[in-house]
Amino acid sequence: MYDYDFSSLNDKEFEALSTDLLTCHLKERVERFKSGRDGGVDGRFFSASGDEVVIQCKHWIKSGLPALMRSIEKIEAEKVKRLNPKRYIFVTSLGLSRENKIKIKELFSPYILNDSDIFGNEDINDLISINPNVEKKHYKLWISSSNVLQSMLSSAIIGRSRHKLEEIIEESSRYVVTESHTQAMEKLERVHSIIITGAPGVGKTTLADQLSQFYIAKGYDFCFIENSLNEAEQVYREDSYQVFYFDDFLGRNFLLALDSYQDSHVINFIKRIEKDKKKRFILTSRSNILNQGKRLSDLFEIRKVSRNEYELSISLLTDLDKAKILYNHIWFGNLREEYIDQIYEDKRYFKIIKHQNFNPRLVSFITDCHRISDISPQKYWGYIGSTMSNPKDIWRNVFDVQVDDICRHIVVAVSLHGKPLEEEILKRLYSGLASSHVVAKPTKSYDAVLRLLVGALLNRSILGDGRVLYDLFNPSIADFVISNYLNDYGYINELLIHLKTPGSISNLNGLMVSGIISDSYYFDLLESQLIQLSEDKGGCKLDSYKLRILAFASSSSILLNNKILDYIRVLVRSALISGPKFFGVDYFDFFCLAYTLNLIGADDPIFKCQLKDWVFEYEKDFDEFVAISNLVAAIDIPPSELTLKLKEQYVEYISEEITRDVIEEGILTSVYDASDYDYSEISAYIESRFSELAIPFDEDDVEIVSQYCDIEEVIQANIKSSMHEDQQYEAYKEQRYSTLSVSSAIDDLFDRS
């Protein structure tokens, strides 16, 4: 049996539930009425003899039983007396004892005919248990039942996914099921993966949260992906029902995802999920970032990712949807009555609902009691108006009034980095700023600064391996930082030299590509950073920050600066003498750049030895194969053992994954019998993979790889995919007002009588 306390429902939702349950229980069509307009009549029906039966619902979950009893005695009993019905039915969400029911019957005497016309929490639970269709109609009721919650929290949950699930459950009460929920669910059921896109603040994460929660409640194991799809790959189980959730999967800048080759990984995972009826994959991304991805990565267009895309738009919300969103934030929030009065005065809620800049994030912001602690009730409506009219400035009060300089520096730095920042880097940044001659020195300790920021402007999370990460509390903070701080070149230059993260350089490069900052601004920053690093005591040591700067500077006029050329020469000698502390694409590209600039020769004995080690000893991924092939193609002329060895390794690398690649890429989807197999289809694919390296391959190499493709496994995958039938999803929709105009329905929703 389910157990509900109804705390996830607002008062109007509880009334709708109660009338639906009584319709089933009494086998009479119960009419709903506008709250308070008819002197305490929430519903009614007519008995067989034609007498009116009045129903009243009281959702006093916040006030408690003593307050309810006082209200009945002093107010409600008199209302019923004036109505003078033949029969009166009373419903409350509070638990009632036998003595409570006797007392209520006495107070409403003679209109309540017997105790069974009084329904408390336990009675409503009983009605729900024998009327499952009503439960399905009220989505928030079902998702918040104790049985479902217990089932969700006891399911197989990986790492921080438990913390994320707890956050989702906590926010569920504010959720409003709209047509977008139904449409997104239908698409997810059809293709198993969905990319929810939309403008900032439109509610992408909230929708994704609720879709995830639905599947967890249905028994799916939950994996919240923190940083990369490797986390999902590690826990993927063929025989289990699993839902994977990757919020803001392209980050605030597509080039950061492209830089880590997230695009190809995501596409392949989508293909894999599509063929597995036991899996669901939910992603979110800002529309402009995904569109940037489509322009910069052919993969998004080639693989037709648009079939998985669902564009969430404010235009899809009706005025009643918006009203419910606002009402839920007020009902479930902690705003004091004097602040709520400002919204209700002269029906000002209509101005919020109909505002051209309405979005759920703004509603959350203006109804957050913590963010208006320094605003008086008299000035609250003015604050709402200015916030709605200037949504980009919603963080201005926090930045200008609530935090000091060091807090601002850290938040701007995290915004520059473009993704979650590890605690060790944050500590280093704090220490660097403490010794800076450009920005004001901190007046608070590191721990004191973090206590101020976490929960206000930053989120703190702990990964399974114990690492602590800090990210922006809300993506819109980055928008505010870009609009208000990026134009201060000297300030940004100073933050970068203390931040020293490759991510910050990649993020700024993306802003340049998007036209947000100019080419000259960006390359001036890179040049200044290189010059400052060259003058630093430890500047001769090669690290990932210097490598990333040089990777993006390689096509610019910066390299005409003799001082920088001399510095690169120093870095090359230092790296060759000390040996590499790390490998990676940037490292190999660095030596390719040095060779192109004639800062290192092919006959350099140390370089020759290292290059041979890279080819013969180092285990490479695809992108490192590409980077090393550029070096080998430039140096190994005519081709000798370096080229032959690299070629042999790449053939083996492609061969190991060829069967899986062919299945995921859909290369042979029409093959259901070995006799239908057309060699030319797979050979064309293999040739395209070979063409990505700078060294030559021939037909024999294509033949070798093709022999490793297990055609029987491909055929079985095709058969499984064609036989697949999705389970049908029964859409859950909350009861809507059908007999009222939209404005009347909104007035009814906000009625306080």
Side-chain angles (χ1 to χ4, degrees):
M1 178 179 172
Y2 287 104
D3 183 18
Y4 303 90
D5 66 4
F6 308 107
S7 60
S8 66
L9 304 182
N10 65 40
D11 55 339
K12 306 308 189 298
E13 291 166 338
F14 178 73
E15 288 173 14
L17 169 67
S18 299
T19 52
D20 284 347
L21 287 171
L22 290 178
T23 292
C24 296
H25 176 63
L26 301 169
K27 295 182 172 51
E28 298 280 357
R29 188 181 73 83
V30 176
E31 300 175 74
R32 276 195 68 198
F33 286 94
K34 300 177 184 180
S35 305
R37 305 293 176 81
D38 295 291
V41 181
D42 294 320
R44 74 171 181 182
F45 66 92
F46 290 92
S47 66
S49 60
D51 294 326
E52 182 183 39
V53 180
V54 170
I55 299 167
Q56 187 170 28
C57 308
K58 290 295 179 183
H59 186 38
W60 283 48
I61 199 75
K62 293 182 179 182
S63 305
L65 186 60
L68 174 64
M69 300 301 282
R70 286 195 299 272
S71 176
I72 292 174
E73 187 171 6
K74 295 180 179 180
I75 301 172
E76 303 302 330
E78 184 61 32
K79 287 183 181 178
V80 176
K81 186 177 181 179
R82 287 197 299 269
L83 287 170
N84 194 30
K86 290 292 183 181
R87 180 183 175 191
Y88 182 72
I89 297 174
F90 183 78
V91 185
T92 178
S93 56
L94 297 171
L96 299 175
S97 66
R98 181 173 177 273
E99 290 74 18
N100 296 150
K101 288 190 175 184
I102 292 172
K103 179 65 174 177
I104 291 172
K105 183 173 181 293
E106 288 177 358
L107 291 172
F108 282 121
S109 178
Y111 306 106
I112 293 182
L113 304 182
N114 51 63
D115 291 358
S116 62
D117 279 349
I118 301 172
F119 293 83
N121 182 288
E122 299 81 1
D123 305 301
I124 302 172
N125 270 280
D126 290 342
L127 291 180
I128 292 170
S129 67
I130 59 177
N131 293 285
N133 288 335
V134 174
E135 179 198 41
K136 290 180 180 180
K137 183 178 181 182
H138 295 267
Y139 172 81
K140 282 170 60 178
L141 177 76
W142 168 73
I143 208 74
S144 64
S145 75
S146 62
N147 289 29
V148 171
L149 289 176
Q150 184 178 355
S151 173
M152 286 192 290
L153 290 171
S154 62
S155 64
I157 299 175
I158 313 301
R160 188 178 174 269
S161 299
R162 175 171 294 278
H163 177 65
K164 177 61 179 177
L165 176 56
E166 289 169 353
E167 286 182 347
I168 292 172
I169 292 171
E170 186 179 341
E171 291 298 319
S172 292
S173 59
R174 290 180 171 83
Y175 188 62
V176 174
V177 177
T178 66
E179 191 62 29
S180 294
H181 178 101
T182 304
Q183 292 173 358
M185 183 64 79
E186 289 171 350
K187 172 163 279 199
L188 185 53
E189 279 295 294
R190 191 167 60 251
V191 297
H192 298 173
S193 297
I194 187 169
I195 303 174
I196 302 171
T197 65
V202 75
K204 301 181 291 297
T205 296
T206 302
L207 175 57
D209 285 352
Q210 293 304 313
L211 295 181
S212 298
Q213 188 178 15
F214 171 81
Y215 283 103
I216 301 165
K218 284 292 188 180
Y220 282 65
D221 296 339
F222 181 47
C223 177
F224 178 63
I225 301 166
E226 189 83 44
N227 292 305
S228 80
L229 271 176
N230 292 333
E231 300 165 40
E233 296 282 8
Q234 290 167 6
V235 299
Y236 194 101
R237 295 188 298 276
E238 297 288 348
D239 59 342
S240 297
Y241 285 91
Q242 293 174 294
V243 56
F244 301 96
Y245 177 15
F246 202 169
D247 191 25
D248 201 19
F249 80 105
L250 292 177
R252 296 186 286 276
N253 188 325
F254 176 74
L255 288 191
L256 291 179
L258 193 65
D259 189 50
S260 57
Y261 315 104
Q262 194 86 275
D263 55 339
S264 59
H265 202 171
V266 166
I267 294 296
N268 288 334
F269 199 71
I270 287 174
K271 295 284 287 184
R272 185 178 182 185
I273 293 289
E274 187 175 342
K275 299 176 186 298
D276 191 338
K277 66 180 180 180
K278 294 184 176 181
K279 305 291 185 291
R280 297 294 182 269
F281 189 22
I282 301 165
L283 310 93
T284 71
S285 175
R286 292 188 181 192
S287 295
N288 64 315
I289 302 298
L290 185 61
N291 291 334
Q292 184 185 34
K294 290 175 182 177
R295 291 195 306 271
L296 297 175
S297 173
D298 292 338
L299 285 172
F300 281 108
E301 185 59 36
I302 293 170
R303 312 291 171 79
K304 301 192 183 303
V305 74
S306 57
R307 73 190 293 263
N308 301 94
E309 188 177 347
Y310 181 78
E311 177 81 23
L312 187 61
S313 171
I314 290 298
S315 64
L316 298 175
L317 295 177
T318 66
D319 282 350
L320 187 54
D321 289 333
K322 294 176 182 179
K324 289 180 178 180
I325 291 170
L326 175 60
Y327 188 79
N328 274 356
H329 277 80
I330 295 172
W331 176 269
F332 294 106
N334 294 308
L335 280 178
R336 300 204 309 267
E337 282 297 317
E338 55 265 38
Y339 288 89
I340 297 175
D341 290 343
Q342 292 293 314
I343 296 175
Y344 275 77
E345 186 177 309
D346 298 327
K347 299 183 180 181
R348 284 170 168 169
Y349 46 81
F350 273 109
K351 293 185 178 180
I352 298 174
I353 293 162
K354 293 182 176 295
H355 199 287
Q356 61 179 0
N357 291 330
F358 179 98
N359 71 43
R361 179 182 294 163
L362 281 177
V363 171
S364 177
F365 204 94
I366 62 176
T367 56
D368 186 340
C369 62
H370 300 294
R371 301 196 181 280
I372 60 169
S373 57
D374 58 341
I375 298 172
S376 68
Q378 294 73 27
K379 294 183 178 179
Y380 179 50
W381 181 251
Y383 164 78
I384 290 175
S386 62
T387 301
M388 297 293 291
S389 298
N390 302 285
K392 281 190 176 181
D393 288 343
I394 61 176
W395 299 103
R396 186 173 299 283
N397 184 61
V398 182
F399 268 72
D400 292 352
V401 177
Q402 298 181 13
V403 298
D404 61 7
D405 287 341
I406 185 62
C407 292
R408 280 191 290 275
H409 301 332
I410 287 176
V411 175
V412 173
V414 175
S415 301
L416 285 177
H417 184 63
K419 52 187 177 183
L421 197 63
E422 291 192 28
E423 185 160 46
E424 290 305 310
I425 298 175
L426 208 59
K427 287 181 178 178
R428 188 186 70 205
L429 171 67
Y430 176 88
S431 298
L433 292 171
S435 61
S436 171
H437 299 295
V438 178
V439 297
K441 288 179 169 53
T443 58
K444 295 183 179 68
S445 68
Y446 172 81
D447 290 337
V449 168
L450 266 296
R451 281 196 297 271
L452 272 175
L453 289 177
V454 172
L457 291 167
L458 295 181
N459 281 328
R460 182 178 186 268
S461 58
I462 303 176
L463 302 187
D465 58 8
R467 285 183 299 145
V468 178
L469 296 180
Y470 293 90
D471 197 8
L472 297 178
F473 181 79
N474 194 291
S476 61
I477 296 173
D479 298 333
F480 177 81
V481 167
I482 289 170
S483 298
N484 293 275
Y485 290 89
L486 215 59
N487 60 348
D488 190 339
Y489 171 87
Y491 174 59
I492 299 301
N493 191 38
E494 181 69 9
L495 285 183
L496 285 176
I497 203 64
H498 297 297
L499 184 59
K500 289 190 178 75
T501 62
S504 59
I505 299 302
S506 297
N507 189 36
L508 286 166
N509 181 263
L511 296 176
M512 179 192 70
V513 171
S514 303
I516 295 172
I517 60 175
S518 67
D519 293 17
S520 59
Y521 178 98
Y522 178 66
F523 289 117
D524 283 350
L525 277 175
L526 297 191
E527 185 170 19
S528 176
Q529 291 293 299
L530 285 173
I531 291 173
Q532 289 181 80
L533 291 167
S534 71
E535 296 169 350
D536 187 71
K537 289 181 180 179
C540 65
K541 294 180 181 179
L542 195 60
D543 57 41
S544 59
Y545 184 59
K546 300 181 183 82
L547 286 173
R548 188 59 52 85
I549 292 174
L550 290 168
F552 285 116
S554 60
S555 60
S556 72
S557 59
I558 293 174
L559 300 182
L560 299 178
N561 185 321
N562 288 328
K563 187 171 183 178
I564 289 177
L565 286 175
D566 290 340
Y567 182 47
I568 297 173
R569 187 178 288 109
V570 169
L571 292 174
V572 169
R573 299 318 307 170
S574 172
L576 289 175
I577 293 169
S578 63
K581 299 291 189 295
F582 42 79
F583 287 109
V585 175
D586 284 350
Y587 186 75
F588 300 128
D589 283 343
F590 168 71
F591 278 97
C592 195
L593 172 65
Y595 179 79
T596 304
L597 294 172
N598 295 316
L599 301 178
I600 188 173
D603 55 350
D604 184 296
I606 302 178
F607 177 54
K608 284 174 65 176
C609 181
Q610 285 204 10
L611 181 57
K612 188 171 182 178
D613 283 346
W614 299 339
V615 173
F616 280 80
E617 305 298 332
Y618 179 63
E619 185 175 345
K620 297 167 277 293
D621 63 21
F622 168 72
D623 301 292
E624 290 166 337
F625 267 115
V626 173
I628 293 175
S629 75
N630 292 330
L631 260 177
V632 170
I635 293 170
D636 194 29
I637 302 173
S640 64
E641 62 170 356
L642 289 179
T643 302
L644 293 175
K645 185 62 178 177
L646 191 63
K647 180 177 169 180
E648 175 190 321
Q649 291 174 340
Y650 191 64
V651 167
E652 181 180 350
Y653 176 80
I654 296 295
S655 299
E656 287 176 353
E657 299 292 333
I658 188 62
T659 302
R660 177 179 165 179
D661 288 348
V662 165
I663 292 171
E664 291 187 351
E665 300 287 341
I667 305 299
L668 301 173
T669 51
S670 61
V671 177
Y672 292 93
D673 189 282
S675 60
D676 298 332
Y677 171 46
D678 184 354
Y679 171 77
S680 63
E681 286 186 71
I682 192 170
S683 64
Y685 171 72
I686 295 169
E687 287 170 1
S688 71
R689 296 300 307 272
F690 285 155
S691 67
E692 292 171 313
L693 266 63
I695 58 176
F697 293 87
D698 55 36
E699 291 181 4
D700 290 341
D701 300 316
V702 175
E703 175 67 24
I704 291 170
V705 175
S706 67
Q707 290 174 1
Y708 279 89
C709 182
D710 187 337
I711 298 302
E712 286 302 321
E713 187 177 337
V714 174
I715 291 171
Q716 289 304 311
N718 290 342
I719 292 173
K720 182 180 177 182
S721 179
S722 65
M723 292 177 65
H724 164 62
E725 291 182 2
D726 284 337
Q727 59 184 10
Q728 292 298 309
Y729 164 71
E730 184 176 355
Y732 292 88
K733 295 184 178 180
E734 293 182 305
Q735 177 171 321
R736 292 173 178 266
Y737 296 87
S738 57
T739 59
L740 301 176
S741 69
V742 172
S743 60
S744 295
I746 292 172
D747 278 334
D748 178 32
L749 182 65
F750 282 87
D751 186 272
R752 302 169 86 184
S753 56

